[in-house]
Amino acid sequence: TEHVDNLERARLASRPLFGARTLADSRGARRQTLRGGLFASKTFKGAAYMEAIWEALRMGAPFSFINVAVLAFVLAVIAERFIYIITRYRVNSREFMAQIRKLVQAGNIDRAIKLCEAAPLPLLQVVKSGLTQVNRGDDAVIASMEEKWAELGPELEKRVAWLWTLANIATLIGLLGTISGLIASFDAVAHADASERSARLSAGISEAMWNTALGLGIAVVCMIFHLVIHSWTKGIKEDMEISTMKLENLLIQNKGQR
């Protein structure tokens, strides 16, 4: 009897655990179902969005596809400029010039030149060009740094002006698409059958509007990034000028102390 009672207690004690496990499994299954539904919904929305974009491009053809090529070229120019500036002008000029100041004041010009040879970066090359002319006088130092910067400076602003030109090109291509769509709309009103007039008129207006929107959108992107990159390069040029002036003053002061 005691053994039977123990079995009964064990059976009763196992029921809540079994029920809790079943409830947890059902909740997990419900969560997975909800996650799957959300993922499917997002995938469906993404597919619908891409289909809408393709339909808009098709309506604006052929000028819309020409502008898509212009947009790809614009993005390539922007990416190239960002990569170039980030990789070539990543030096902290304040810390670098502070190290140069310590070495020059200590009379270690050779070590300062070796520090400039650590990486082929524009700031380091300009400073090195000045340090190598220390024994020839102040004028030689200034002339050497100006010559080096005149050689490296144009690379900083290279292709930046293209963005403004590409903005105008995209706008004009969009305008051509707009005129093409309006011509198609007027042609539909004048010559199309009554059964086709409405469809051809709406197609012509869609072509005009989509081309206008795409051209203006590309132009806005070009202008925004032109402003950003131009401001960025302007700040770098000012920082370079300040660094060269600091080196000139440092060499003059160091020469006066000697």
Side-chain angles (χ1 to χ4, degrees):
T1 304
E2 184 178 356
H3 180 67
V4 172
D5 292 339
N6 291 334
L7 291 175
E8 185 65 19
R9 291 192 191 97
R11 186 177 64 83
L12 292 174
S14 65
R15 285 182 180 178
L17 294 175
F18 178 76
R21 189 179 300 112
T22 304
L23 181 60
D25 292 342
S26 63
R27 288 177 178 175
R30 193 179 304 134
R31 288 173 184 170
Q32 291 180 356
T33 303
L34 290 174
R35 290 174 183 172
L38 290 173
F39 178 76
S41 177
K42 291 179 180 179
T43 304
F44 177 76
K45 288 180 180 179
Y49 185 68
M50 295 301 297
E51 185 177 355
I53 293 176
W54 173 253
E55 185 66 19
L57 293 174
R58 190 186 63 80
M59 288 181 178
F63 296 101
S64 59
F65 289 102
I66 297 174
N67 254 342
V68 167
V70 173
L71 177 60
F73 187 69
V74 166
L75 295 177
V77 171
I78 293 170
E80 187 273 335
R81 285 291 86 193
F82 268 82
I83 292 171
Y84 176 82
I85 294 174
I86 290 172
T87 54
R88 299 285 289 177
Y89 291 89
R90 65 179 185 272
V91 180
N92 188 327
S93 60
R94 292 184 178 179
E95 293 183 0
F96 173 72
M97 292 306 300
Q99 293 178 5
I100 293 294
R101 174 180 290 274
K102 291 179 181 178
L103 293 173
V104 171
Q105 289 177 344
N108 295 322
I109 302 296
D110 293 336
R111 289 187 60 187
I113 293 174
K114 289 182 180 180
L115 178 63
C116 294
E117 294 174 348
L121 303 178
L123 176 60
L124 277 65
Q125 294 179 24
V126 171
V127 173
K128 178 186 173 182
S129 66
L131 291 173
T132 53
Q133 303 296 321
V134 170
N135 296 328
R136 296 186 179 181
D138 300 335
D139 293 337
V141 171
I142 296 172
S144 179
M145 288 193 294
E146 288 180 352
E147 181 181 355
K148 194 64 178 180
W149 178 239
E151 177 186 342
L152 300 174
E155 289 291 329
L156 178 62
E157 298 178 335
K158 193 175 181 180
R159 287 184 284 275
V160 177
W162 290 10
L163 294 175
W164 195 262
T165 304
L166 290 169
N168 293 327
I169 291 174
T171 303
L172 292 175
I173 292 173
L175 181 60
L176 286 174
T178 302
I179 294 172
S180 175
L182 292 176
I183 290 173
S185 299
F186 291 137
D187 183 70
V189 172
H191 302 101
D193 296 335
S195 58
E196 300 179 354
R197 187 174 301 164
S198 177
R200 290 182 59 182
L201 181 62
S202 62
I205 294 174
S206 296
E207 179 184 354
M209 294 299 100
W210 280 118
N211 277 295
T212 302
L214 183 59
L216 292 177
I218 296 173
V220 169
V221 171
C222 290
M223 291 177 181
I224 290 173
F225 280 99
H226 179 271
L227 177 63
V228 172
I229 297 175
H230 179 71
S231 301
W232 196 1
T233 56
K234 184 178 179 181
I236 290 172
K237 289 173 65 178
E238 292 175 353
D239 187 61
M240 184 70 73
E241 292 175 359
I242 292 171
S243 298
T244 55
M245 289 177 62
K246 286 181 178 179
L247 181 60
E248 293 171 13
N249 295 332
L250 174 62
L251 294 175
I252 293 171
Q253 292 174 4
N254 190 62
K255 184 177 179 181
Q257 290 176 359
R258 290 184 180 181

